[in-house]
Amino acid sequence: MPVDDDVGSKPHKEKRAKEMGKQIRMVSPQRVQQDGRDRQLRVLMWGYLPASSPQRAPLLHPTQAPPPMNDQGWKSVCSGGCGFAMAISDGGKVNTWGSTGDLGQSYVTAGKHEERPEPFPLPSESPIIQAAAGWAHCAVVTDRGEVYTWGWRECVPASKLSTEANPKGLGSGSDREVYDAQLEERDGNEEGLFSRPLSLTDLVDPPDSALISSMDATLKNKCSNPSKGKASSPIEKLQGQSSKGLKAPGAGALVEKAGEEGLKKRRLAIEQSTSSESSTMASDENVSAPPCLVTLHPGVQIISVAAGGRHTLALSDKGQVWGWGYGGEGQLGLGTRIRTVSSPHPVPCFGSGSPYWQDIHTGTNKGINMVDVAFLPKVPGSHIKAVACGGRHSAALTDAGALLTFGWGLYGQCGQGSTDDEVSPCYVSSLGGLPVKAVAAGLWHTVCITESGDVYSFGGNQFGQLGTGSDQAELLPRLLDTPALENVHATSVSCGARHSAISTDTGRIFCWGWNKYGQLGQGDAVDRSSPVEVPLEGSCAREIACGWWHTLGLVVQST
Amino acid sequence: MEDEEQVAKEVRRQGGFEYVRLAQRAAEGDDLAAEAAHDMAWEQLHSGPWHAVHDAWRDAYALSCLRLATHRAHDALRLLDMGLLMGGPLLKPRLHSAIAEAQLQQQQHHRVLHGNDILDSGEDMVDDQHVNGDVDASGHALDTERRCSIASDDGSELIVHSNPFETHSQILAATACNPACQVPKSMLPCGSFCHQTVVRKKLIPMEEFICDYFIPTLPVIILNAMTHWPAIEKWKNLDYFKDALGSRTIPVEVGEHYLAPGWKQELMTMEQLLQRFQSPAESLIFHGIHWQIPKLKEDIIVPDYCAATGGELRAVNAWFGPSGTVTPLHHDPHHNLLSQWQEDFHCGWCGNCSR
């Protein structure tokens, strides 16, 4: 399908103008061709987004999403989310929609938006450049390289506050149990990284009431501290303090142990009260956390995040991967199974022997938990350029196009030819020298595309999510050579829980897998075990992103 | 309801916010939400290693089966059985009552359709032989020495053996089954089958059992100990199973035995299982009747001898299979009281106290 540069017809433009309530630029077709930025990008959605359709029925056909609030258009679509969708507007605002939002925990994750995309309130005004949602948590990256995350507390580092340093302080008993369990399960070498927190908990103010009040009233913190605006928000206070080189008891020891440029962990204590809320919510401890800044090594700039079932990976501009959350199947790639990694830990993708690794630790590996690198196969590349998270496994791509996988492997989703879990990033050697360009992961499967536009998939296939035409699982990457993909050059890939999607260089979208909720955009609810094209009615896809049970396409409008 | 609130609370703690929302709408009668909640809970049950699945999701699954069954009358029994099979313990009582209700409705429905109470099975009674041990073509034990039990006149017998934790005794259960797959004696450990025959006694008093067999850890076969079981009469005719339980979904082990390649578990209805019994090629065992189908449990009576240990009854298991089924050599950690109610059953034990 040829790329279509035409702008929409006049009646359509007028309609849009009415919708947005303000003047939009009326551009001529010629100008559009010259300046790609003027093209209005729309978001098409299909699948399970209950609030977005009448009677909360699944959207079986690609349907246009309402435009973002207070903004001109869309910039990017985000993957993940169970029952809600996420996308970034032109102005760098993360918008969420689709969830039949009500009070309570769900709101914290997905926002109160119902049908209409609304910006999710964040502590920072910085434009968001990339975002991802997991099963029940979200993570965003600002243009300053910071990461904010919120949602299910298991996945939010700041809220996993240990009470150890401050028994009377914030954090419920359950936090303590989890923390203790975490201590038990860690590897002995990790002491420097997972031991007692810096006692910055003493220094943290109660949550910013201005921040809380921007959310639903029922979540208002009982002990909110009237503050005077963002300047004195807990987050910025902490940042200010730490930049003064604050030394809390124990901090020095930690730093030494972790190496000269070791990790300083600052834990934010944004704690919600356990006040009773609506009757639909449990009146016991809160299980969701509002947006928290994720603190990493000072100076680390994050450029992208990936969120999985219960873990998160962040990629820095230098190509270093950080992970946190649940690691019981090895999905954090730390060389051992850890139930909870409550603060970001670097993920060794190349082994300590690589020059890069040594660089960031100034030649020492003290306190860093490492796999015995003598047995690691040589991984082509020197840094990571992309990360992906599935339900309980992860993938990373090196600059040399090598694919690494780690985590749950029972369905073969690690592509290593076995059903073993991989607790460290493992090179998918069977792809040989094929340079992999992009990778995505679902609950039980992984899909990747090469520079030459070929699609490979592996893992579980109960719903046809591999696209191989059968329901046979694949323990090793299998090329999709179905006729539908002949002469198709895939450029991006995304996976939902049990379905997959690719977009091509000519702006087409193909989907396959589970379709009970219309995730494949075919107008029916029949699963497809082979790729089928999604009708875009003349539009061209720029990006695609799969949520748990839905798919989003960022498309350029054509006639 | 309290159960549902409990489930909701636990599921929220596991991040299942969307599920809870769906469950609430399902409770209000939203059919789509009930379906989606069911799919979501099922997904969570399979989203990680089984041992790592949190109980909250198993309870959520059971709840969603219960809920969805009210929306899908034609599929209700299957859904409720799945809730029992894969769901958590919290909602089992409600699932059992829902099943009873569904069966009642089904029977009424059948009566309306067929006009009489007896379903026409048209099927012969299958010869239920759970046979182990060397047999000749006629089904009789080949060698007195190796035989541990044979069918008695009334078709029932009780086999008891004891296996105290302290001794290092191994229990060898079953070797070959039918003439087609006899295990040569050379494959067995040295010294196999050289013990004396297991003693057979008729309904011995408890004291004798304890002193002469239990304490010295000697196996014994007790005859006539099941004559009072309702099962003796009821289970003679397979129609009983079909009528009472034909539509129930049950897990069945398919394959020569659990060590053989290709062995697997399948879900099928009881009716399908009874049909497959006819096929000589397949070996099928339905294990665990009692916990899923309480009605069958009422047909058996736990023998008094089980009280001999003084401890609790750990488990009541049942295996239901056609002729030719084999259980390979295994070691049970508990004292075992094995009741064989049909035809030939051959079993060997190897007590090795010298280890």
Side-chain angles (χ1 to χ4, degrees):
Chain A
M1 211 160 68
V3 176
D4 197 332
D5 285 343
D6 290 342
V7 183
S9 62
K10 193 158 186 277
H12 189 96
K13 272 190 271 187
E14 279 168 358
K15 181 169 175 249
R16 251 190 322 155
K18 267 197 207 142
E19 278 173 11
M20 296 175 69
K22 50 175 146 180
Q23 290 271 324
I24 62 165
R25 283 176 293 160
M26 305 296 234
V27 295
S28 71
Q30 202 159 12
R31 191 166 165 204
V32 162
Q33 278 163 10
Q34 288 165 2
D35 185 354
R37 283 179 306 162
D38 286 341
R39 278 190 259 176
Q40 287 289 344
L41 296 174
R42 298 174 302 137
V43 167
L44 296 180
M45 55 185 181
W46 54 98
Y48 177 75
L49 290 168
S52 294
S53 77
Q55 287 99 45
R56 302 185 180 127
L59 298 164
L60 302 182
H61 297 273
T63 307
Q64 181 162 334
M69 207 189 246
N70 302 329
D71 212 328
Q72 294 193 1
W74 294 108
K75 189 167 72 168
S76 174
V77 285
C78 311
S79 65
C82 182
F84 67 94
M86 197 157 80
I88 302 174
S89 67
D90 269 338
K93 295 289 174 206
V94 164
N95 280 246
T96 55
W97 76 97
S99 163
T100 52
D102 55 0
L103 313 170
Q105 309 297 347
S106 55
Y107 169 71
V108 179
T109 308
K112 186 179 183 184
H113 44 243
E114 290 264 341
E115 181 189 319
R116 187 186 179 101
E118 278 187 17
F120 196 88
L122 292 170
S124 164
E125 289 293 319
S126 305
I128 303 300
I129 59 165
Q130 196 262 348
W135 155 245
H137 73 288
C138 303
V140 300
V141 183
T142 70
D143 66 351
R144 289 161 61 186
E146 301 162 324
V147 177
Y148 289 88
T149 181
W150 68 94
W152 187 23
R153 285 179 100 196
E154 292 284 317
C155 311
V156 178
S159 73
K160 279 245 141 303
L161 180 66
S162 165
T163 56
E164 198 179 30
N166 186 7
K168 278 190 263 182
L170 311 157
S172 64
S174 66
D175 272 345
R176 177 94 196 220
E177 283 163 19
V178 171
Y179 185 81
D180 287 344
Q182 169 200 336
L183 286 175
E184 281 164 16
E185 293 180 32
R186 68 175 190 223
D187 184 289
N189 289 340
E190 297 168 37
E191 210 174 311
L193 296 166
F194 297 124
S195 64
R196 63 204 166 98
L198 305 182
S199 56
L200 286 171
T201 56
D202 296 335
L203 308 163
V204 177
D205 291 333
D208 184 341
S209 68
L211 168 64
I212 300 294
S213 65
S214 71
M215 299 183 181
D216 190 284
T218 57
L219 290 174
K220 186 163 281 180
N221 195 308
K222 221 191 229 173
C223 54
S224 63
N225 187 22
S227 66
K228 286 168 189 156
K230 279 196 293 294
S232 58
S233 78
I235 296 155
E236 263 144 29
K237 264 195 181 150
L238 266 181
Q239 286 175 330
Q241 282 163 346
S242 72
S243 68
K244 286 181 207 153
L246 176 79
K247 287 262 184 195
L254 272 175
V255 168
E256 274 166 37
K257 254 190 173 170
E260 194 172 284
E261 292 176 354
L263 307 168
K264 280 185 202 153
K265 274 179 295 305
R266 297 170 288 166
R267 303 226 175 114
L268 295 173
I270 298 179
E271 183 77 10
Q272 292 182 350
S273 74
T274 56
S275 61
S276 63
E277 299 169 19
S278 75
S279 59
T280 55
M281 254 189 72
S283 58
D284 53 357
E285 76 269 29
N286 292 299
V287 294
S288 273
C292 310
L293 176 68
V294 176
T295 53
L296 301 133
H297 185 294
V300 168
Q301 299 273 310
I302 298 295
I303 56 169
S304 74
V305 284
R310 27 170 83 191
H311 67 295
T312 315
L313 294 181
L315 179 66
S316 77
D317 58 349
K318 299 206 167 39
Q320 167 66 54
V321 182
W322 299 75
W324 63 92
Y326 176 84
E329 283 79 49
Q331 57 265 61
L332 295 174
L334 300 174
T336 183
R337 297 169 192 276
I338 310 176
R339 217 193 79 183
T340 309
V341 172
S342 67
S343 97
H345 194 300
V347 179
C349 293
F350 297 93
S352 63
S354 81
Y356 170 70
W357 186 251
Q358 285 178 352
D359 275 345
I360 71 165
H361 292 281
T362 57
T364 63
N365 294 318
K366 280 187 204 164
I368 308 293
N369 179 49
M370 299 292 299
V371 168
D372 186 340
V373 299
F375 301 115
L376 283 178
K378 180 85 176 76
V379 177
S382 60
H383 63 274
I384 301 296
K385 61 171 197 196
V387 287
C389 288
R392 294 196 185 213
H393 70 293
S394 312
L397 272 189
T398 76
D399 55 325
L403 177 63
L404 307 173
T405 55
F406 42 110
W408 195 32
L410 187 63
Y411 289 86
Q413 60 264 58
C414 287
Q416 302 293 335
S418 77
T419 56
D420 297 333
D421 295 347
E422 301 291 342
V423 294
S424 285
C426 209
Y427 176 37
V428 180
S429 51
S430 64
L431 284 171
L434 288 173
V436 179
K437 181 186 154 128
V439 63
L443 279 184
W444 309 299
H445 74 299
T446 313
V447 184
C448 62
I449 55 183
T450 61
E451 293 286 353
S452 56
D454 289 329
V455 184
Y456 288 79
S457 63
F458 45 99
N461 199 15
Q462 320 88 312
F463 299 89
Q465 63 265 47
L466 294 188
T468 54
S470 77
D471 65 350
Q472 191 75 14
E474 301 285 342
L475 303 184
L476 291 167
R478 168 101 179 249
L479 171 67
L480 295 194
D481 54 7
T482 173
L485 293 186
E486 212 172 312
N487 301 323
V488 161
H489 184 110
T491 50
S492 76
V493 60
S494 186
C495 290
R498 324 183 205 178
H499 74 289
S500 317
I502 55 162
S503 66
T504 72
D505 59 349
T506 54
R508 298 160 79 182
I509 300 179
F510 290 82
C511 292
W512 59 93
W514 196 40
N515 193 24
K516 184 168 176 180
Y517 294 92
Q519 301 93 305
L520 309 187
Q522 299 297 303
D524 61 33
V526 178
D527 298 348
R528 303 292 204 278
S529 60
S530 273
V532 287
E533 186 157 7
V534 178
L536 299 176
E537 287 171 5
S539 293
C540 269
R542 284 282 191 77
E543 277 180 26
I544 38 127
C546 292
W548 230 249
W549 292 359
H550 67 272
T551 312
L552 302 176
L554 185 71
V555 300
V556 176
Q557 189 182 340
S558 53
T559 38
Chain B
M1 297 206 74
E2 219 178 88
D3 282 342
E4 300 184 28
E5 275 165 26
Q6 171 75 12
V7 171
K9 175 175 140 187
E10 289 304 315
V11 165
R12 259 190 222 106
R13 292 187 63 182
Q14 298 305 311
F17 314 131
E18 182 67 23
Y19 173 83
V20 171
R21 239 182 318 196
L22 285 171
Q24 281 164 0
R25 291 216 306 274
E28 291 157 13
D30 187 336
D31 179 62
L32 279 174
E35 184 83 38
H38 182 258
D39 283 328
M40 201 167 283
W42 180 93
E43 196 172 83
Q44 285 302 305
L45 284 194
H46 295 83
S47 290
W50 183 255
H51 64 84
V53 173
H54 198 277
D55 279 347
W57 286 112
R58 297 185 55 220
D59 288 330
Y61 180 75
L63 176 63
S64 67
C65 286
L66 204 55
R67 183 68 62 202
L68 191 60
T70 65
H71 292 266
R72 306 265 184 279
H74 62 279
D75 204 22
L77 257 184
R78 187 193 64 87
L79 282 164
L80 294 167
D81 266 322
M82 291 308 298
L84 276 180
L85 288 168
M86 294 212 294
L90 189 71
L91 288 149
K92 275 200 174 17
R94 278 177 68 180
L95 282 164
H96 281 301
S97 357
I99 284 174
E101 178 75 37
Q103 284 188 299
L104 205 62
Q105 283 178 4
Q106 197 182 57
Q107 278 165 13
Q108 284 166 353
H109 183 67
H110 264 297
R111 277 197 206 104
V112 166
L113 279 183
H114 300 288
N116 61 43
D117 284 353
I118 296 161
L119 295 174
D120 178 23
S121 64
E123 151 195 314
D124 302 322
M125 189 165 81
V126 169
D127 188 31
D128 259 23
Q129 281 201 347
H130 186 93
V131 177
N132 299 294
D134 288 334
V135 296
D136 65 10
S138 64
H140 294 298
L142 277 172
D143 186 343
T144 313
E145 189 182 2
R146 287 182 261 171
R147 177 188 73 207
C148 299
S149 74
I150 51 170
S152 61
D153 294 337
D154 62 355
S156 70
E157 60 185 12
L158 203 63
I159 304 156
V160 180
H161 63 87
S162 50
N163 174 24
F165 290 101
E166 295 75 33
T167 67
H168 298 282
S169 53
Q170 280 181 314
I171 305 298
L172 169 74
T175 51
C177 49
N178 56 47
C181 56
Q182 282 193 6
V183 175
K185 198 170 173 188
S186 55
M187 282 178 65
L188 298 169
C190 179
S192 292
F193 292 137
C194 59
H195 290 277
Q196 66 236 42
T197 312
V198 175
V199 174
R200 306 172 73 219
K201 292 278 199 174
K202 277 198 176 180
L203 259 186
I204 52 174
M206 180 70 97
E207 193 180 337
E208 186 183 329
F209 168 67
I210 293 175
C211 296
D212 297 353
Y213 302 101
F214 185 77
I215 290 174
T217 71
L218 294 172
V220 62
I221 299 166
I222 301 174
L223 305 171
N224 297 341
M226 290 159 60
T227 48
H228 57 299
W229 287 18
I232 297 299
E233 276 310 313
K234 286 189 180 178
W235 295 11
K236 273 189 173 157
N237 190 337
L238 284 180
D239 277 350
Y240 170 72
F241 293 98
K242 190 174 169 186
D243 292 350
L245 309 156
S247 325
R248 298 298 303 274
T249 302
I250 51 177
V252 176
E253 299 169 1
V254 182
E256 210 178 297
H257 55 76
Y258 60 76
L259 297 175
W263 182 89
K264 61 181 173 171
Q265 286 212 38
E266 279 182 38
L267 289 173
M268 63 184 79
T269 62
M270 175 67 84
E271 192 169 344
Q272 287 165 339
L273 175 66
L274 293 172
Q275 275 167 5
R276 284 169 76 164
F277 274 169
Q278 315 259 14
S279 155
E282 272 191 314
S283 183
L284 306 147
I285 299 184
F286 167 40
H287 169 239
I289 293 179
H290 300 296
W291 59 267
Q292 189 195 352
I293 306 181
K295 193 171 164 93
L296 288 179
K297 195 168 182 176
E298 292 161 17
D299 294 339
I300 66 145
I301 297 170
V302 175
D304 285 344
Y305 302 106
C306 287
T309 65
E312 322 180 349
L313 187 63
R314 291 299 182 104
V316 178
N317 289 311
W319 292 267
F320 182 62
S323 65
T325 28
V326 173
T327 302
L329 169 68
H330 65 279
H331 185 240
D332 288 324
H334 303 298
H335 299 291
N336 262 261
L337 195 141
L338 180 62
S339 315
Q340 175 65 28
W341 80 275
Q342 250 290 25
E343 309 311 328
D344 286 348
F345 173 77
H346 294 257
C347 176
W349 291 278
C350 176
N352 181 1
C353 301
S354 61
R355 186 178 142 180

